Amino acid sequence: MQASQGPRRSGSVHRLYHQPMQQVQEYYTPCHSFDNNIYNDSSCSRTHISFQTQNEQFFTMDSFPSTDYAAPSVSVSSNRSPFSPQCSQSYMSNPHRSYDNTCGSPVSGCSGVDDGNGKKHVLRELKNKLLQPESDIDDSGSCSFNDVVSKPSRWNQVSDIASRLDLKELLVACAEAIEEADISTAEVLMNVLEQRVSVSGEPMQRLSAYMLEGLRARLLSSGSIIYKKLKCNEPTSSELLSNMQVLYHICPYYKFSYMSANVVILEAMKNENRIHIIDFQIAQGSQWMFLFHDLARQHGGPPFIRITGIDDSQSAHARGGELQLVGEKLSSIAESYGVPFEFHGAALSGCKVKLEHLRVRHGEAVAVNFPYMLHHMPDESVSTMNHRDRLLRLVKSLSPKIVTLVEQESNTNTAPFLPRFRETLDYYKAMFESIDAACPRDDMQRISAEEHCIARDVVNIIACEGGNRVERHELFGKWRSRLLMAGFTPCPLSPLVGETIKNMLKEYSPNYRFAESQGALYLGWKNRALATSSAWQ
C-alpha cells in the first residue's frame, strides 16, 4: 500500500495522539498485559530483524527452524555486542522441546538460572543445607518446615547461601522446586524472596513481588482465586480508569496499537463511502476518536462510519457502565467532526461471537480490529471448540477489506510451566524496565497501575492452567500460521505506518525500538520485542 497523502497525514495523526484533547482524556484502552504445537510455517524459516531508533540499526537476529524445533540463533557483529543476549542457558536450548515455537521472536532475551558450575553449586549447597540434620532436632528425627526456619542458625545459613543468588536466579530456583514438588526448598526460597522484593523498588524487585505471588498461588493451587483478587479489593471503575491513563501516558504500547491500526485502516478505506469497523476490544472507544479526526479531513468529505463494538466484563467495569456509554461518546465526537456515524454494541466475549452478532450489511467495506485480544481466546490445547481459530475463520467469511492484529510478542500458550515461567520473567522484566524509565519508583499511581493492570496477568500465566489460564500469548510466527490457515494473506505495511510509529516513539525513552519483518511491525524495549502489529486481507 502506498501513502495517500504522504507525510502530511502522518504528522496529523502524530499530533492528534499527543495533543491535549478533553474529549480523549476521559477514554483509554483497558489494561491487558502487554501461547501451540501443531502449526508449521515453512515460510518463516529465516527471519532477519533489524531494530531501529530512527535510522540507527542496533540488533540483528536470524531464525532457523529445524524439522521439529525452531531455535533462534543470534548473529551480532562485534560492534553491536552490547545488545546481544548474555546468558548461557535458556529453555529454548533443549532441541527435544518443540512446543510453542514455530517461529522465534526477532529478539531473544536471557532466561533461566546461570548454567555455570558456580550457581549450580550454590543451589546444591542450599538444598543440602535444607536437608542437613541439626543436633537440636528432637529425637523423632523429623523436622517440619516451621521448625527449620524458626532456628536462627539454620535460617542464617540458608540466607547466607541464598544471598549469593540474584532475584532472577532465586525465582527460577523456586519455580524449579515447585515443579519438582520440593516444597521445603520452595518455601524457604519464598521466604528469602519476601525479604528482597518491593513494589516500589527497582524493576526486578517490583516484578519479583508479583512473580512471587504467582508462585505462592501455584503452590497453593489457588491461582484462579488470587488472579481475581490479588491480595487487594477490585478497584472502582474510576480507579481502574486512572490506572489505565497512567499506563497510556507513560508507555507507548496502547498508542502503538491505535496508531498502527488506524493508519492501515485509513489507507485501506481511502476510496470507500461506507465503512463498517468491527472492534473486538472496544473498551473505551478512544481509538476511533482519532480515526474520526483524520476521516473528517479527507478530500471529498468523510465516509459513513458504522462501528460494532465487542465488549467484555473488564471493560464494562472500567467504564462504570454498559456499551451504550461508548456509543453515546463516539456519536458526540463523530458529530463534532462532521462524520456520519452509527454504533452497534455487542456485549459478549469473543468466545460467544457469532455471525449474527456482527450485523454486516451489503455494500459496506469491512475492517476488523484485534487489539491485544486474540490471545485471550482458548485454542485447541484448551477446548475442542478452538475459539481462537474459529473466530479467525468467522472473520474471514465476512470478506473484510482489512484486518489489523496487534499482540504481545511472547511465548506462553502451550509451553510447560518452567519455560513459561522463564519467558514471563524475561518479557515482563523488559516491560517493568520501560515503565521505570518514565515514572518515579515511589509514585503511587504507578504502583497501582502495575498492581491492577499487569500483576494479574503475571499471576494468571504462572499459577493457572487449563481453562483458568486466559493469558496465552503467541509469537507472531504462530499468529501468521493461524491467519494463513484461516485463508488470510498478509497485507504489506506502507512506509507511512513505520514513519508514524517512529514519530510517536520520539516522545519516549530512546531504549524503545522498532523493526519490520515478514510484514509485521515490532515494538521492543532494548533487545526484547514486546508487541507486533500486522495487517491481513
Side-chain angles (χ1 to χ4, degrees):
M1 283 189 294
Q2 299 298 319
S4 59
Q5 296 186 19
R8 184 174 65 82
R9 174 173 291 178
S10 173
S12 67
V13 172
H14 177 66
R15 286 193 300 272
L16 175 63
Y17 275 82
H18 295 279
Q19 70 184 16
M21 288 176 54
Q22 185 173 358
Q23 294 169 325
V24 177
Q25 293 293 334
E26 303 173 11
Y27 281 79
Y28 296 82
T29 197
C31 42
H32 294 296
S33 72
F34 293 161
D35 0 311
N36 298 333
N37 289 345
I38 65 171
Y39 291 89
N40 247 324
D41 180 15
S42 60
S43 65
C44 61
S45 60
R46 183 177 179 86
T47 303
H48 181 80
I49 296 292
S50 173
F51 268 81
Q52 297 179 348
T53 57
Q54 299 185 18
N55 294 322
E56 176 190 10
Q57 175 175 304
F58 87 100
F59 187 86
T60 302
M61 159 164 281
D62 294 317
S63 297
F64 301 94
S66 60
T67 303
D68 63 347
Y69 173 73
S73 61
V74 181
S75 172
V76 186
S77 60
S78 58
N79 64 344
R80 283 179 290 177
S81 58
F83 300 103
S84 62
Q86 300 294 325
C87 63
S88 58
Q89 177 175 320
S90 167
Y91 79 86
M92 307 273 255
S93 62
N94 187 343
H96 300 294
R97 292 179 177 176
S98 61
Y99 45 78
D100 225 17
N101 197 39
T102 302
C103 221
S105 166
V107 187
S108 175
C110 306
S111 49
V113 174
D114 187 343
D115 197 25
N117 292 330
K119 297 304 181 185
K120 285 195 170 184
H121 173 73
V122 172
L123 290 174
R124 283 197 300 270
E125 184 180 357
L126 179 62
K127 289 187 176 183
N128 290 338
K129 184 62 64 176
L130 291 171
L131 296 174
Q132 175 183 326
E134 282 193 323
S135 58
D136 55 353
I137 293 177
D138 62 42
D139 294 337
S140 67
S142 63
C143 181
S144 69
F145 168 74
N146 289 332
D147 292 328
V148 173
V149 297
S150 67
K151 300 180 186 301
S153 60
R154 175 64 61 88
W155 174 250
N156 291 338
Q157 290 172 335
V158 170
S159 297
D160 178 66
I161 297 170
S163 66
R164 300 178 225 168
L165 300 173
D166 62 28
L167 278 173
K168 185 173 184 177
E169 292 159 345
L170 279 171
L171 285 167
V172 175
C174 187
E176 290 174 344
I178 291 175
E179 178 72 1
E180 297 168 3
D182 186 353
I183 306 305
S184 61
T185 298
E187 288 179 325
V188 168
L189 289 171
M190 285 181 183
N191 279 276
V192 173
L193 281 163
E194 189 71 45
Q195 308 306 311
R196 295 174 60 177
V197 303
S198 170
V199 296
S200 60
E202 298 176 350
M204 193 60 194
Q205 288 179 301
R206 306 201 307 265
L207 173 59
S208 296
Y210 301 121
M211 298 288 284
L212 175 59
E213 193 68 37
L215 289 172
R216 290 192 189 280
R218 187 175 185 88
L219 186 63
L220 299 172
S221 299
S222 60
S224 298
I225 298 173
I226 295 184
Y227 173 60
K228 295 175 181 176
K229 296 185 178 179
L230 194 61
K231 293 177 66 176
C232 61
N233 295 324
E234 184 78 8
T236 66
S237 59
S238 60
E239 290 171 338
L240 186 53
L241 187 58
S242 175
N243 294 332
M244 296 172 191
Q245 292 173 351
V246 170
L247 294 181
Y248 180 90
H249 285 299
I250 68 177
C251 301
Y253 306 118
Y254 296 146
K255 290 178 184 176
F256 173 71
S257 174
Y258 288 0
M259 296 174 76
S260 60
N262 279 5
V263 174
V264 168
I265 292 172
L266 279 168
E267 292 197 334
M269 300 295 187
K270 59 185 177 182
N271 296 319
E272 299 294 341
N273 295 320
R274 299 184 66 85
I275 301 172
H276 182 186
I277 299 172
I278 301 173
D279 187 350
F280 275 90
Q281 188 67 64
I282 189 67
Q284 315 302 318
S286 51
Q287 175 172 353
W288 311 118
M289 302 177 192
F290 305 125
L291 187 71
F292 293 160
H293 173 271
D294 270 16
L295 288 173
R297 298 164 62 90
Q298 280 192 167
H299 178 72
F304 173 83
I305 301 293
R306 190 160 68 95
I307 292 180
T308 292
I310 313 297
D311 195 30
D312 63 18
S313 58
Q314 184 177 9
S315 297
H317 174 67
R319 281 192 303 271
E322 300 303 323
L323 277 170
Q324 179 183 354
L325 295 177
V326 178
E328 292 172 354
K329 188 65 177 182
L330 288 178
S331 295
S332 175
I333 300 295
E335 183 178 1
S336 69
Y337 285 129
V339 176
F341 176 71
E342 179 182 324
F343 180 80
H344 163 58
L348 69 168
S349 72
C351 291
K352 297 180 180 179
V353 170
K354 297 180 181 179
L355 182 61
E356 56 265 27
H357 297 129
L358 305 179
R359 301 186 183 179
V360 175
R361 299 170 184 169
H362 180 72
E364 295 178 330
V366 176
V368 177
N369 186 46
F370 288 116
Y372 297 123
M373 173 268 173
L374 270 180
H375 71 272
H376 289 141
M377 297 297 99
D379 69 347
E380 69 282 351
S381 68
V382 181
S383 167
T384 56
M385 294 295 294
N386 189 2
H387 291 290
R388 192 168 297 197
D389 289 343
R390 179 194 68 82
L391 198 55
L392 288 175
R393 291 193 298 269
L394 173 62
V395 168
K396 180 59 181 175
S397 72
L398 305 176
S399 299
K401 189 163 187 180
I402 196 71
V403 173
T404 55
L405 173 68
V406 181
E407 277 294 344
Q408 289 97 316
E409 182 68 357
S410 187
N411 189 12
T412 62
N413 183 22
T414 59
F417 168 64
L418 277 177
R420 189 170 80 235
F421 182 87
R422 294 187 178 106
E423 170 73 353
T424 303
L425 181 58
D426 185 60
Y427 182 89
Y428 285 97
K429 179 176 181 289
M431 180 175 287
F432 273 69
E433 286 178 356
S434 71
I435 295 173
D436 192 68
C439 207
R441 292 177 181 171
D442 60 352
D443 188 288
M444 294 306 298
Q445 286 186 315
R446 193 270 310 153
I447 294 173
S448 181
E450 288 179 346
E451 179 181 16
H452 293 293
C453 293
I454 302 177
R456 282 180 47 168
D457 294 352
V458 171
V459 171
N460 184 253
I461 295 171
I462 295 172
C464 298
E465 298 292 349
N468 289 326
R469 181 155 60 88
V470 297
E471 300 297 328
R472 294 176 166 273
H473 307 111
E474 293 185 324
L475 300 176
F476 175 70
K478 190 59 65 68
W479 289 119
R480 187 174 187 273
S481 295
R482 291 189 185 278
L483 284 153
L484 291 172
M485 290 182 66
F488 289 97
T489 57
C491 182
L493 299 174
S494 79
L496 182 56
V497 184
E499 180 187 344
T500 301
I501 300 303
K502 180 179 174 180
N503 287 334
M504 180 265 288
L505 289 178
K506 289 179 180 178
E507 302 198 8
Y508 295 90
S509 167
N511 286 320
Y512 283 107
R513 323 284 184 165
F514 76 95
E516 185 173 357
S517 177
Q518 293 188 326
L521 192 66
Y522 288 79
L523 173 66
W525 173 260
K526 295 183 178 179
N527 69 331
R528 169 75 207 211
L530 294 176
T532 62
S533 178
S534 58
W536 302 81
Q537 292 176 325

